[in-house]
Amino acid sequence: MYKIAVVGDRDSILSFKAIGVEAFPAETAPEAEATLKKLAEGEYAVIFLTEQYAQPLKARLDEYAERVTPAVILIPGRGGSLGIGLANVKEAVERAVGADILGE
């Protein structure tokens, strides 16, 4: 059976434990990348990742975007949203539908 995980700074991810998601704190981008790689090779189908690591891990995220699992979903971190997660959703919808139906 597949699992769900969340990777990011401790303050941003600990609340996910309350709903049964496995939390993996990472305080640096290399630490987050190592954890993400380990989880992706395991039984994790969905991995939430805080947006603060999206830019440093862009190459790794692009690699996972081409695969069925894991689905890596960006979430805001303790500093608030950087808009990267929403931009990714808009891009995916536009690719699927052929037009920007979400608007500004």
Side-chain angles (χ1 to χ4, degrees):
M1 177 176 283
Y2 286 114
K3 301 177 185 177
I4 300 174
V6 62
V7 179
D9 61 274
R10 185 175 303 279
D11 293 339
S12 298
I13 67 169
L14 284 182
S15 59
F16 281 84
K17 291 177 89 172
I19 58 170
V21 175
E22 293 185 53
F24 296 88
E27 297 303 325
T28 65
E31 187 179 347
E33 183 171 20
T35 302
L36 185 63
K37 183 178 179 192
K38 178 180 165 191
L39 296 174
E41 293 170 356
E43 298 177 343
Y44 293 87
V46 178
I47 302 171
F48 294 101
L49 178 70
T50 55
E51 286 181 329
Q52 71 193 45
Y53 295 125
Q55 283 303 101
L57 304 182
K58 181 153 177 41
R60 175 93 40 207
L61 295 176
D62 289 345
E63 174 187 326
Y64 295 142
E66 300 298 320
R67 296 171 37 182
V68 175
T69 59
V72 180
I73 301 168
L74 300 178
I75 58 171
R78 68 176 167 226
S81 177
L82 301 175
I84 300 168
L86 181 59
N88 286 352
V89 169
K90 284 183 72 169
E91 182 182 319
V93 169
E94 191 169 337
R95 264 195 328 260
V97 176
D100 181 10
I101 61 171
L102 297 179
E104 287 298 318

